Every structure is written in structure tokens, then in C-alpha cells.
Amino acid sequence: MSIAAVSRRTLVKASAATMAGITVLRFAGPARAFQTPESGAVVPWNDQLADNPVPEVIVKQLDWESLDSWITPNDQFFIIKHYDEPTIDVSTWALQISGDVANPMSLTLDDLKARERTEVTFTLECSGNTGLPFFDGGIGNAVWAGTPLAPILDEAGVSDTAREIVSWGADSGEQTRGDSKITEYFARSLSVEDAMNPANLIVYEMNGEPLPPLHGFPARLILPGWYGVNNVKWLTRIEAIDRRFQGFFMALDYVSIYQEPHGDEMVWTFTTVGRDRLKSAPARVLDQDGDYLVQGAAWGAEIAKVEVSVDSGAWEDADLTTDGSDPLTWTFWTYDLGSLASGEHTISSRAISATGDQQPAPDDPRLATKTTYFESNGIITRRFTAA
Ligand SMILES: Nc1nc2c(c(=O)[nH]1)N[C@H]1C(S)=C(S)[C@@H](COP(=O)(O)O)O[C@H]1N2
Ligand SMILES: [Mo]
């Protein structure tokens, strides 16, 4: 199913809920929480995260062991920022639509709010998530509200010679390029075709609140289906250009480097971080008077099935506890472990999509040869101790 089709369906659902006056339910979402048993103590993972050496970049992470809500509340939502938080005065702020366009535009926050309003529930994941020993909580699921990007680009009249749309943030920092030190703004680009996807939003609300400062106030991109880095925060300028953009976060950082077989040769290849990949993770284990239960999440595609392997045993089906049909949102699952011999155990999970794709094992060639930590969607195994 195309992202565009999904976005239309999500829209219909959202407006039906609004008409019935139950908008609030989408945020509280008791039906979408884990069916957490009343009893049951969280069994801490033995493989806890290493100390975070970059707290100014990875500012906040999801805590899997306390995960109990399908919608991630704003104060628990992960935060990644590569430069210092920019200071933005919303009374003078306006988003520029510029470059290779017939009618450059300047849109204030009120202008954006006056346009068509669209909501999307989207699970945002940082492409670096689970690729580093101190980072496994770079994911969260929120209801984002804003206005579609495509009609704005249409009004601006992107010229036929334009190849890419570059989105610029207000945050900047020093980068070394060759022998020079330069000040560079955060920016990412998309092909014109990808930018025109009707699902893409310029977002000013998160879970019914104004976009919080660290999540990109006054406005950010939300590109449903794309890894975090593409969702540019603190937007200042959306620009059409007639060549390919090679900013630091496009060409040097957030690049996956891995080997691909070509005939007998393994050839190194380089691709900038793109769309979300099929993935799952065990979230937490609960001890219910000696009976164990594992809860987890799966995302990155329409989820048909999640399987669990205990102590490297056979793969068994987990129960999906939320609807797996929306590829834009994570699906929650549980699996009954029953009673367990006392001592350490391992749990692995793997997601299977509606089109039959399977979350890759860590020895999948693309993952095994990859030298950068981005787009690490291999099967995750965690350890805990049963009493
Ligand atoms: N302007 C700007 N946008 C940005 C970033 C940034 O550093 N500056 N980080 C990106 C990355 S790598 C991720 S994973 C997401 C994180 O969004 P969040 O902090 O709202 O969770 O924002 C993206 N957008
Ligand atoms: Mo990221």
C-alpha cells in the first residue's frame, strides 16, 4: 500500500473521530495501550545501555522498560539535535519557500495554521537507533498536525529544472570541510518527486500541543515513512534547486556504507539514510508470580506477524495487541513465556511484513558488512534473569 493511500485512510479515521467528538480518545488511547496485567513486575534487562557520551546530541531516549502507552507522551519522546538549540522569535519567524520556484512565498505560523489541517499518527525512529551501545530509545509514536507540503510547493510553482527540495533548519554549527572550518546550517534534501508525496506535512502540533521547542517549534517537516533525520526541525527555508544537495548531513553524516555483491566482487556502496526499515524489539519482561510475559513493538511496514525466540529456540508467534495494518505506526505485541528455569535467558523478536519481508538477522550481508551504525534494523536479542 502506498504511503499516500495510508495517509488518506488515516485522515478519514481522524475526521470521523473528530465529528463524533472523541478526539481526546486518540491521545489517551486506552484501547491502544498494552493490555498490561494488573500484577507483574518489570524484570530489568541485564544488557542495560552504556553511558551516553553525547548527551547534548542524544538529549532524551524512550525508556523501553516503562513503555505502557501506544502514543508516546511529549515529555517521554526522544530528542536528537546535532547543534545547539536555535533561538527563534515566532513574532518575526516566517518559512521561506524559495529557489527555483515561480512564486517565492513567506509563510508565518498563522499562515501555516490557516491552511488545510492534516493529522498523521507516525512512529518516528532515528536511523542511528540500536546501532550504538548507548542508544536504543530513539523512537516514539505521536499524532502530528500541520499542513501538507505539496500544495505549498504547487503554489510556489517548482520549476521544471528543479531536481531537489532542500529543507533548512535554524540550527547551525561548525564543520570541517577539507582545510576549512565553516558554519553550516542543518539541512536535508529530497527529490522533487519524494517531496511532492501528499503525506508530507509541515507540522506545528505534536499530540495536540504546540510543537515543543526541542521538537522543532514553530514548524518541522514530518515525512511519514522516512527515518528521523529527514524530518527537519526548526524550519526556516524550503528551497528548490537544480542540482543535488551535498550538505554535511546528506553526504558525510547519515550515510550507510556497506558492501554489495556484484558478480564475484563485493563492492562498497554509499547511500544516504532514507525510508524506515522493517524492525521490532522486545520492550520489557513482566514477572507475574513466576509466569513471564514479554511485550514489544514492531514497525517500519505493515506488520503481519511478529515471532519470538527464547534462548535461541524455535520461532513462535507473538500476539499482536494493536492493529498492524498501518505501516506508519508501530504495532505492539506480547508473548507468554510461562514459567522459566531460574537463571539468565535471551529473547529475540523478528517482524514479518504484510508483503512477506522478514526483519533481517544480524548476519544479513548488508548489515554484516555495514561500517556505519545507521539503518541497523537487524534482529535484536535481549537478556534477563528469571528468579
Ligand atoms: N534542524 C534539525 N532537524 C533535525 C535534527 C537536527 O539536529 N536539526 N535532527 C534530526 C534527527 S537525526 C532526528 S532522529 C529527528 C529527531 O526528532 P525529535 O528530536 O523530535 O525526536 O530530528 C531530525 N531533524
Ligand atoms: Mo537521527
Side-chain angles (χ1 to χ4, degrees):
M1 180 179 300
S2 79
I3 297 291
V6 168
S7 130
R8 273 194 299 275
R9 195 186 52 193
T10 310
L11 244 177
V12 171
K13 266 198 305 205
S15 51
T18 310
M19 280 181 333
I22 52 165
T23 314
V24 164
L25 282 182
R26 288 204 314 279
F27 300 101
R32 285 171 153 181
F34 277 125
Q35 278 124 38
T36 309
E38 301 282 296
S39 65
V42 175
V43 182
W45 296 114
N46 292 344
D47 45 42
Q48 292 289 333
L49 286 186
D51 282 342
N52 176 6
V54 284
E56 68 289 353
V57 178
I58 304 176
V59 178
K60 190 183 289 183
Q61 300 196 48
L62 179 81
D63 175 22
W64 286 105
E65 285 174 9
S66 53
L67 181 69
D68 61 1
S69 167
W70 189 76
I71 292 290
T72 312
N74 289 356
D75 62 358
Q76 291 167 32
F77 206 96
F78 81 97
I79 296 167
I80 303 287
K81 62 167 181 57
H82 293 279
Y83 299 133
D84 290 341
E85 182 187 357
T87 328
I88 295 178
D89 177 359
V90 71
S91 68
T92 55
W93 176 90
L95 172 61
Q96 307 305 318
I97 313 294
S98 65
D100 216 352
V101 296
N103 318 301
M105 296 162 78
S106 176
L107 298 163
T108 64
L109 183 55
D110 285 341
D111 293 337
L112 292 173
K113 287 182 177 168
R115 299 182 66 91
E116 176 192 345
R117 177 190 164 92
T118 304
E119 285 184 6
V120 65
T121 308
F122 171 49
T123 302
L124 186 72
E125 187 191 18
C126 176
S127 55
N129 191 37
T130 72
L132 296 161
F134 47 85
F135 188 30
D136 77 355
I139 184 166
N141 185 40
V143 181
W144 309 93
T147 192
L149 172 63
I152 291 176
L153 293 176
D154 272 339
E155 266 177 62
V158 174
S159 94
D160 290 344
T161 53
R163 298 182 67 176
E164 292 203 341
I165 303 295
V166 189
S167 299
W168 295 85
D171 49 332
S172 66
E174 206 173 70
Q175 298 290 0
T176 304
R177 293 298 198 105
D179 295 334
S180 307
K181 280 205 188 306
I182 60 164
T183 298
E184 186 168 337
Y185 285 98
F186 185 93
R188 285 282 297 186
S189 74
L190 295 164
S191 69
V192 173
E193 190 191 352
D194 285 336
M196 291 300 289
N197 187 312
N200 298 338
L201 301 180
I202 298 173
V203 154
Y204 46 75
E205 267 178 37
M206 181 178 181
N207 290 332
E209 291 168 22
L211 202 54
L214 284 166
H215 293 291
F217 180 85
R220 75 176 302 169
L221 279 186
I222 283 293
L223 307 181
W226 291 73
Y227 271 121
V229 69
N230 298 290
N231 297 257
V232 177
K233 305 193 276 191
W234 306 297
L235 283 171
T236 55
R237 186 153 49 96
I238 295 180
E239 186 183 26
I241 61 172
D242 67 358
R243 63 197 77 184
R244 279 186 288 186
F245 181 74
Q246 301 284 288
F248 182 81
F249 292 98
M250 204 66 207
L252 292 173
D253 203 359
Y254 286 91
V255 173
S256 287
I257 303 178
Y258 50 95
Q259 286 184 302
E260 262 183 6
H262 289 273
D264 294 339
E265 199 189 352
M266 291 295 277
V267 176
W268 287 103
T269 186
F270 314 82
T271 49
T272 196
V273 165
R275 291 184 175 81
D276 292 324
R277 289 172 183 271
L278 178 62
K279 191 164 170 182
S280 71
R284 58 180 185 172
V285 170
L286 293 173
D287 176 354
Q288 307 170 251
D289 295 326
D291 271 329
Y292 292 87
L293 183 83
V294 57
Q295 303 176 309
W299 62 93
E302 184 172 345
I303 303 298
K305 199 152 90 146
V306 174
E307 295 174 334
V308 170
S309 163
V310 182
D311 298 330
S312 307
W315 290 99
E316 307 278 0
D317 285 0
D319 292 323
L320 304 187
T321 55
T322 63
D323 181 11
S325 68
D326 185 349
L328 300 181
T329 58
W330 59 13
T331 301
F332 280 0
W333 51 267
T334 65
Y335 180 78
D336 228 322
L337 297 161
S339 62
L340 290 167
S342 59
E344 190 173 77
H345 297 274
T346 66
I347 301 252
S348 312
S349 68
R350 74 176 175 199
I352 291 133
S353 77
T355 53
D357 290 337
Q358 211 173 76
Q359 183 181 356
D363 64 356
D364 173 272
R366 186 188 64 85
L367 295 177
T369 64
K370 194 158 61 67
T371 63
T372 51
Y373 54 85
F374 308 108
E375 304 181 297
S376 294
N377 68 324
I379 290 171
I380 293 168
T381 298
R382 303 216 58 178
R383 296 183 285 115
F384 70 100
T385 300

